[in-house]
Amino acid sequence: MAQPLVKKDDDRDDEDEYSPFLGIEKGAVLQEARVFNDPQLDARRCSQVITKLLYLLNQGESFTKVEATEVFFSVTKLFQSRDLGLRRMVYLIIKELSPSADEVIIVTSSLMKDMNSKTDMYRANAIRVLCRITDGTLLTQIERYLKQAIVDKNPVVASAALVSGIHILQTNPEIVKRWSNEVQEAVQSRAALVQFHALALLHQIRQNDRLAVSKLVTSLTRGTVRSPLAQCLLIRYTSQVIRESGNNNTQSGDRLFYDYLESCLRHKSEMVIFEAAKAITELNGVTSRELTPAITVLQLFLSSSKPVLRFAAVRTLNKVAMTHPMAVTNCNIDMESLISDQNRSIATLAITTLLKTGNESSVDRLMKQITNFMSDIADEFKIVVVEAIRSLCLKFPLKYRSLMNFLSSILREEGGFDYKKAIVDSIVILIRDIPDAKESGLLHLCEFIEDCEFTYLSTQILHFLGVEGPKTLDPSKYIRYIYNRVHLENATVRASAVSTLAKFGAAVDGLKPRVFVLLRRCLFDNDDEVRDRATLYLNTLGGDGSVVETDKDVKDFLFGSFDIPLVNLETSLKNYEPSEEAFDINSVPKVVKSQPLAEKKAAGKKATGLGAPLSAPPSTADAYERLLLSIPEFANFGKHFKSSPPVELTEAETEYAVNVVKHIFDRHVVFQYNCTNTIPEQLLEDVIVIVDASEAEEFSEVFAKPLRSLPYDSPGQTFVAFEKPEGLPTAGKFSNILKFIVKEVDPTTGEADDDGVEDEYQLEDLEVVAADYILKVGVSNFRNAWESMDPDSERVDEYGLGPRENLAEAVNTVINLLGMQPCEGTEVVPPNSRSHTCLLSGVFIGNVKVLVRLSFGLDGPKDVAMKLSVRSEDEAVSDAIHEIVASG
C-alpha cells in the first residue's frame, strides 16, 4: 500500500510522532513480499519490504502459520543475492520469524556455508541466526565452529559467538559449559566488546558456584581487564561477591575487593569511575571515611559539562543522603548551583538532596530558591520536592512556620490531583507530628477547600478537620469554613461537612447550640444524604428534644474508628431476618473475606468493565462456618473466631495432596484436613489423619471425624478437634500421618475391588502459633484509635532482633510473627532507611482490640533494635503481645 504523501512544510501537531511507516497494512506488505520471487532481484526494494515486515512484527502484528511460512520460503531465495545490505536484512527477518523445526532445514545449509565464509559480516550474522533458530541436536553439530569463532581474530565474529553463547545458556547450558577454556581465552582479548561479552558469559557459566565466582573476581581484579565495559561489569561482580560474603570486606582484614573498587576511582574512563563510586556508596555498612573517595569524584562530576554525568552524580548523592547525610554536606555548594540547571530532573534531584543534607540555618535560603524553581517543573517533580520538604520539617520542627507557609502558597497554585494530594498529606502529617503547627496548618487547609476543585480532597480535609479541629484552642473559628461547604459544594462535600459540624458539636459543649442551628438548616437541603445525616446527628446530639445518648456513646459514634469491612456489613444486613431481636453489629465478621481459588478463576472469565455486573466477593469464612455448623460434634464449641489460610502438608505432584485449615475457637482448635487422591487407579476409604500432640502438651484431642471414601480427583475433608486453655494463645507442634484403606480400581469399568489394603502416608508437621489467635482488622485513623485506648493498658519494652539484611526484613518478620494488620502503609520501609515506625492493629481472641506501635532502628552495621509499644482493651492482652515477641 502506498504511503500518504506528506510535504516537508505540512503542519503537524507533533513532529516527533510521525512515522515513515504510517498507514501500512499487513495484507499490502505481504503482497509486496512477492518481489522476493522476481528473477531479477531489486536489492533496495527487497530491503524496504523486509523493513516493513520487521516493523509489523515489532509492533505486535501476528502472522498466521501459512503467512509466516510463505514469507520465510520467499526470503530464503534472497540468499542468491550478493548485496551485503540485503543479506543483513535477510538474517534479521529469519531470526524474527522464528521458523519451525521443519523449516530450519531449508536455511541451515545456507547459514552454515555463510558461517565458514571469508566475509566476516556473513560469519558473524550466520552464527547469531543459527544459534537463535536451531535446537540442541544441531548445536552439537556446529559446536566446533562456535568454539573456533569465540577465539576468532575478528572481534565482530568473536562477539557474535559469545553473545549467542549467553542466549544458548538459557536453554542448553550443558553445551555452553564445555566452552569454558575458549571463553577464558577471550577474556584476555584486546578487543573491548569481546572482553566485555566474554566476562559476562564466563560469569553466567559460574554463577551458581559462589566460590568459583569469587576466584574469578579475585583473579581479574589484579589488572587483566582493560575494556571499560568489562571493567564496569567486574565492579558489579565485585560488589555482588561482597554482598554474598555475609560480612562487609571493607571492615575485615582482607580489603582486597574494597581496594579494587577504590582503585577504579582513578580510572581514565568516566564510566568506570562512576560505576566504582556507585558501588562503594551501595556497600552495606560502609563508613563515612570509606565513602569519602567516592563522594569526592561524584562532587567533581557535579560540575561536568555533560548532563548525563551531572544527573548520575546527583542521583547517587541523593540516595547516599538518605543514610549518610553528613557525608554529602561538602557537596552542597556545588548542588546549589544545579538548582538553575536547564535539565529539570537534575535540578529536582539537587533540591531534594539539599533538603536532606541542609542544616537549620540554610532552610530559609533554600525556600527562596525553591519558590522560583517550582513553577518551571512538572507535577511529578513537584511531588518529590514536597515530600523532601515534609521530611525537612520533621527534621527541624522549629522551622515549621516557613515550611508550612511555603506548602500553603504552592497549594493555592495550579496543579493536578496527585500534586495537591501530596501537599495536603504533608500538611496533615506535620499537624499530627508537630503540635505547634496544628493551628496554622488547619487554617491553611480551610483556606484551600474554599477553592478546591477535587471532591476527594475536600472530603478528606473535612474529615481530618472534624478530628483535629475540636482539640485546638479556638475551635469556633473553623465553623464558618465548614458551613460554607454546605452551601457552595456538591452533595458529597455537603454531606461530609454536615458530619464535621456534628463532630464539633459533640466535642465542644460551647459550640453545641450553634451547631444545632446549622444542622437544622441542613434539613431543607435538596440531597437525601445531606438531610439524612443532619437528621441522624440532631437525634444523636439531642437537638430535636429527644432522649440524648450519653457523651461516651456520642463520641464513640462520631469519633470511633469503624473497623468492620463494609462488604461484610452489607452481607450481614442482607442475611438479617426482621424479628424481635435487634440487629447486632458485633455479630458481623471483622475479617476481610477472601475468594476461593476456583471461584477466582471462574470470575476471571466473566465480563469486566463498566457493563459488568457488580457483586460482592464470595465468603470463604462463611463457607467454613457453615461447614463446621453442619457437624454436630462442633456445635457446643461456641462462636467461631478465625480460620487460617490453607497450609500445605504435602509437596506438589505427590500421590496424595493434603492441606490443613486451622479453625480457632475460644477453648478449641479444629484441624480441617483437605485431601485429594491423585491416582486414577485407586479408591481410598476410611481416611483419617493420626495427629501426635506430644510437642503440644496443653492440647488434648477430643474428637476425630474420618472421611468414608475418597475417589480419584474428588476432594474430601477429615477433621480432628483439640481442647486448649480458654482464651490463651496456646502454641504447639503437631506431627501428622494420613491413614487409609486403599482399593484398586478397574480402569475400564471404574469398579473398585472389594478387598483393600491398609496404608499410611507421612505428612509435614503442623504448628499452631500466636498469630493464629489474632484477627487482621485495620483502623481508619490509627492515632485516634491509639489515643482512645486507656494509657494504663500500654506496655513498652525494647528488643534486640539481631543481624538482619535490612530493616524491611525485620519489619516483615515481626508482622508475620504477630499476624496483625499493618496500618496507613507503614509496612513499606523506604530504601536505605536506618529507622522506621510500623503501626499494627488487630483483634485478639476474645474480641479484644489491640494496637501496636513498632519503632525499628539499626544498631551498628546490621543489628536491628526494636521498641514495642502495645495498647489494648485488656492489660493482659498487652502483656501477651510482649510475651509473643519475647518468645518468638
Side-chain angles (χ1 to χ4, degrees):
M1 177 179 175
Q3 297 178 29
L5 183 63
V6 180
K7 296 181 181 179
K8 289 184 178 180
D9 58 347
D10 276 356
D11 290 331
R12 289 191 293 268
D13 291 335
D14 190 348
E15 197 75 27
D16 294 336
E17 293 184 2
Y18 171 70
S19 167
F21 303 103
L22 188 66
I24 68 171
E25 296 177 357
K26 182 179 76 170
V29 176
L30 291 175
Q31 288 289 334
E32 289 185 62
R34 294 179 179 178
V35 72
F36 301 155
N37 300 317
D38 291 349
Q40 298 295 323
L41 289 174
D42 184 340
R44 188 167 181 273
R45 179 82 188 284
C46 291
S47 296
Q48 289 176 343
V49 176
I50 292 177
T51 303
K52 292 179 182 180
L53 289 167
L54 290 169
Y55 172 79
L56 290 172
L57 287 168
N58 281 282
Q59 290 299 307
E61 188 74 54
S62 58
F63 284 34
T64 65
K65 183 68 175 174
V66 174
E67 290 170 344
T69 302
E70 287 180 358
V71 171
F72 177 76
F73 279 113
S74 299
V75 166
T76 57
K77 298 177 182 178
L78 301 180
F79 273 103
Q80 57 187 305
S81 174
R82 298 285 183 180
D83 186 88
L84 290 177
L86 178 58
R87 182 62 64 89
R88 296 181 71 175
M89 298 301 292
V90 170
Y91 291 133
L92 277 175
I93 192 66
I94 290 175
K95 194 165 63 171
E96 290 299 321
L97 284 173
S98 299
S100 65
D102 294 336
E103 296 166 351
V104 167
I105 300 171
I106 308 300
V107 292
T108 298
S109 58
S110 298
L111 290 172
M112 291 187 69
K113 181 180 177 183
D114 284 355
M115 196 167 66
N116 294 294
S117 170
K118 293 181 180 179
T119 307
D120 291 333
M121 191 276 291
Y122 286 1
R123 293 166 59 203
N125 283 290
I127 288 171
R128 289 178 184 269
V129 177
L130 266 175
C131 293
R132 172 71 176 270
I133 68 174
T134 54
D135 57 11
T137 307
L138 182 58
L139 283 173
T140 54
Q141 298 176 24
I142 62 172
E143 184 180 2
R144 179 169 60 90
Y145 299 107
L146 294 174
K147 283 185 175 182
Q148 292 174 355
I150 289 173
V151 293
D152 196 275
K153 292 180 181 179
N154 187 292
V156 177
V157 175
S159 277
L162 290 165
V163 171
S164 298
I166 292 172
H167 293 304
I168 296 170
L169 192 65
Q170 311 305 318
T171 53
N172 295 278
E174 66 287 343
I175 293 178
V176 181
K177 287 178 180 177
R178 296 198 291 261
W179 305 351
S180 290
N181 293 335
E182 287 78 11
V183 177
Q184 279 183 311
E185 186 178 339
V187 170
Q188 309 302 322
S189 171
R190 292 184 174 274
L193 271 179
V194 173
Q195 194 172 51
F196 170 66
H197 291 140
L199 178 56
L201 179 55
L202 191 59
H203 178 266
Q204 286 200 24
I205 291 173
R206 300 183 179 181
Q207 64 182 350
N208 295 324
D209 186 343
R210 186 178 295 181
L211 181 60
V213 171
S214 181
K215 287 181 178 179
L216 172 67
V217 171
T218 304
S219 64
L220 293 177
T221 51
R222 293 171 183 163
T224 57
V225 177
R226 289 177 293 275
S227 161
L229 287 168
Q231 196 96 339
C232 289
L233 213 52
L234 183 57
I235 289 170
R236 294 183 183 183
Y237 297 155
T238 304
S239 300
Q240 180 186 347
V241 170
I242 293 174
R243 284 195 301 272
E244 292 178 350
S245 64
N247 60 345
N248 194 347
N249 287 305
T250 66
Q251 296 181 349
S252 63
D254 184 9
R255 295 177 56 88
L256 171 66
F257 295 127
Y258 175 79
D259 290 341
Y260 167 71
L261 294 178
E262 191 176 15
S263 69
C264 290
L265 296 174
R266 298 181 288 276
H267 199 276
K268 60 183 179 181
S269 169
E270 294 169 336
M271 176 170 53
V272 175
I273 294 171
F274 171 72
E275 193 69 40
K278 181 170 176 283
I280 290 174
T281 61
E282 292 177 350
L283 290 177
N284 292 327
V286 65
T287 64
S288 297
R289 183 179 177 183
E290 290 156 347
L291 273 175
T292 302
I295 300 295
T296 302
V297 299
L298 291 172
Q299 185 176 3
L300 293 173
F301 284 170
L302 290 176
S303 55
S304 170
S305 59
K306 301 176 181 177
V308 67
L309 280 181
R310 298 199 302 275
F311 175 79
V314 75
R315 185 173 65 168
T316 305
L317 289 172
N318 187 282
K319 292 179 181 177
V320 176
M322 295 179 185
T323 51
H324 298 84
M326 296 306 296
V328 185
T329 52
N330 292 334
C331 307
N332 282 4
I333 296 175
D334 298 276
M335 281 190 286
E336 283 191 30
S337 64
L338 294 179
I339 295 176
S340 56
D341 197 283
Q342 292 181 349
N343 187 309
R344 305 323 282 166
S345 298
I346 295 174
T348 305
L349 285 167
I351 281 287
T352 53
T353 308
L354 285 167
L355 291 172
K356 293 171 186 173
T357 60
N359 52 40
E360 197 163 2
S361 60
S362 65
V363 170
D364 294 329
R365 188 179 73 254
L366 281 173
M367 287 299 101
K368 290 179 182 177
Q369 290 178 292
I370 293 173
T371 302
N372 300 326
F373 162 80
M374 292 292 281
S375 59
D376 298 333
I377 59 175
D379 278 6
E380 57 184 312
F381 295 130
K382 290 178 181 177
I383 292 172
V384 176
V385 174
V386 167
E387 290 172 349
I389 290 173
R390 179 179 69 204
S391 301
L392 183 69
C393 193
L394 294 174
K395 184 179 178 183
F396 303 120
L398 294 178
K399 288 291 183 181
Y400 79 87
R401 290 186 186 277
S402 58
L403 295 171
M404 189 72 82
N405 287 335
F406 173 79
L407 291 174
S408 174
S409 65
I410 61 175
L411 188 57
R412 291 191 294 271
E413 296 174 358
E414 292 294 325
F417 171 78
D418 290 333
Y419 173 47
K420 293 298 178 74
K421 183 177 182 298
I423 302 172
V424 170
D425 289 345
S426 296
I427 293 176
V428 166
I429 289 171
L430 297 183
I431 291 171
R432 285 177 176 171
D433 293 354
I434 305 174
D436 292 340
K438 181 176 291 186
E439 296 277 350
S440 60
L442 289 175
L443 281 175
H444 288 317
L445 292 177
C446 287
E447 291 168 359
F448 170 62
I449 59 174
E450 294 280 319
D451 302 309
C452 181
E453 58 183 307
F454 302 109
T455 298
Y456 173 81
L457 289 182
S458 295
T459 56
Q460 291 301 303
I461 291 172
L462 286 167
H463 171 73
F464 181 69
L465 195 59
V467 174
E468 297 293 337
K471 301 175 185 176
T472 58
L473 297 175
D474 185 12
S476 61
K477 63 185 176 184
Y478 305 109
I479 297 295
R480 174 175 62 86
Y481 294 102
I482 299 169
Y483 188 62
N484 283 345
R485 301 304 97 215
V486 178
H487 288 295
L488 305 174
E489 292 286 356
N490 59 50
T492 303
V493 178
R494 296 203 306 274
S496 183
V498 169
S499 298
T500 304
L501 281 173
K503 290 177 181 179
F504 273 78
V508 185
D509 290 336
L511 290 177
K512 190 172 289 187
R514 185 178 174 188
V515 169
F516 285 163
V517 172
L518 298 177
L519 288 177
R520 287 193 186 101
R521 292 178 185 174
C522 297
L523 294 175
F524 302 99
D525 195 276
N526 59 6
D527 183 74
D528 291 343
E529 175 75 12
V530 177
R531 292 196 304 273
D532 289 349
R533 288 198 187 195
T535 304
L536 172 65
Y537 292 132
L538 280 170
N539 291 336
T540 305
L541 296 172
D544 62 347
S546 63
V547 178
V548 186
E549 305 285 345
T550 65
D551 286 344
K552 185 180 184 304
D553 290 337
V554 171
K555 289 182 179 179
D556 285 346
F557 175 72
L558 293 174
F559 292 103
S561 59
F562 192 73
D563 54 5
I564 298 173
L566 293 178
V567 171
N568 295 4
L569 179 59
E570 180 186 3
T571 304
S572 298
L573 287 170
K574 286 180 178 178
N575 295 336
Y576 171 69
E577 295 181 3
S579 62
E580 295 181 1
E581 185 178 350
F583 177 77
D584 182 9
I585 197 167
N586 293 320
S587 67
V588 181
K590 295 180 179 179
V591 182
V592 177
K593 310 299 181 64
S594 60
Q595 189 173 359
L597 181 62
E599 295 181 18
K600 284 182 181 176
K601 291 180 178 178
K605 298 176 182 178
K606 296 177 182 177
T608 58
L610 296 175
L614 297 175
S615 59
S619 167
T620 305
D622 284 349
Y624 285 147
E625 198 156 356
R626 286 195 298 270
L627 179 62
L628 294 170
L629 288 173
S630 67
I631 301 172
E633 289 81 1
F634 300 152
N636 61 347
F637 281 8
K639 185 170 175 56
H640 172 230
F641 176 69
K642 176 185 176 181
S643 295
S644 73
V647 179
E648 297 295 335
L649 299 183
T650 56
E651 295 181 357
E653 300 178 1
T654 53
E655 301 99 304
Y656 313 110
V658 180
N659 65 51
V660 62
V661 177
K662 294 172 276 187
H663 302 295
I664 308 298
F665 295 82
D666 196 37
R667 294 181 54 196
H668 297 84
V669 175
V670 176
F671 297 145
Q672 173 186 325
Y673 295 93
N674 301 310
C675 309
T676 304
N677 172 19
T678 63
I679 304 177
E681 297 82 13
Q682 288 185 359
L683 170 68
L684 307 186
E685 292 185 348
D686 297 332
V687 181
I688 193 167
V689 176
I690 306 299
V691 184
D692 180 3
S694 58
E695 295 185 58
E697 297 177 354
E698 296 183 77
F699 291 82
S700 58
E701 185 174 332
V702 293
F703 172 70
K705 178 179 174 60
L707 176 63
R708 295 304 172 199
S709 177
L710 186 64
Y712 164 68
D713 204 25
S714 296
Q717 295 85 31
T718 176
F719 298 84
V720 181
F722 284 84
E723 190 173 19
K724 69 172 190 67
E726 183 175 357
L728 296 179
T730 313
K733 187 176 183 180
F734 304 82
S735 58
N736 306 278
I737 297 176
L738 183 69
K739 297 197 73 172
F740 49 85
I741 296 173
V742 58
K743 293 183 177 181
E744 296 295 327
V745 175
D746 188 333
T748 55
T749 63
E751 297 290 331
D753 292 346
D754 294 334
D755 298 326
V757 179
E758 288 191 4
D759 200 354
E760 62 181 42
Y761 190 81
Q762 183 67 48
L763 304 176
E764 297 288 338
D765 290 346
L766 167 68
E767 287 188 272
V768 174
V769 295
D772 291 324
Y773 298 96
I774 302 177
L775 276 175
K776 287 186 176 182
V777 178
V779 293
S780 57
N781 187 318
F782 186 89
R783 182 176 180 179
N784 284 348
W786 180 268
E787 291 177 353
S788 67
M789 289 279 190
D790 184 1
D792 293 337
S793 72
E794 184 171 352
R795 298 290 185 269
V796 182
D797 206 347
E798 295 183 355
Y799 301 88
L801 303 183
R804 303 280 174 174
E805 279 298 315
N806 47 46
L807 280 185
E809 181 195 341
V811 172
N812 290 331
T813 300
V814 178
I815 290 175
N816 293 334
L817 175 66
L818 295 176
M820 298 177 69
Q821 178 66 43
C823 301
E824 301 175 7
T826 54
E827 73 276 17
V828 180
V829 182
N832 301 316
S833 293
R834 296 189 66 81
S835 62
H836 184 69
T837 299
C838 181
L839 311 174
L840 306 176
S841 71
V843 174
F844 197 79
I845 188 168
N847 283 324
V848 180
K849 292 181 182 178
V850 58
L851 300 174
V852 168
R853 191 192 299 270
L854 303 166
S855 299
F856 296 87
L858 287 174
D859 183 15
K862 288 190 176 182
D863 288 337
V864 177
M866 180 185 75
K867 180 180 178 182
L868 170 63
S869 305
V870 185
R871 287 189 183 184
S872 72
E873 295 175 335
D874 185 344
E875 295 177 12
V877 172
S878 298
D879 293 328
I881 296 294
H882 276 279
E883 290 175 11
I884 292 170
V885 173
S887 60

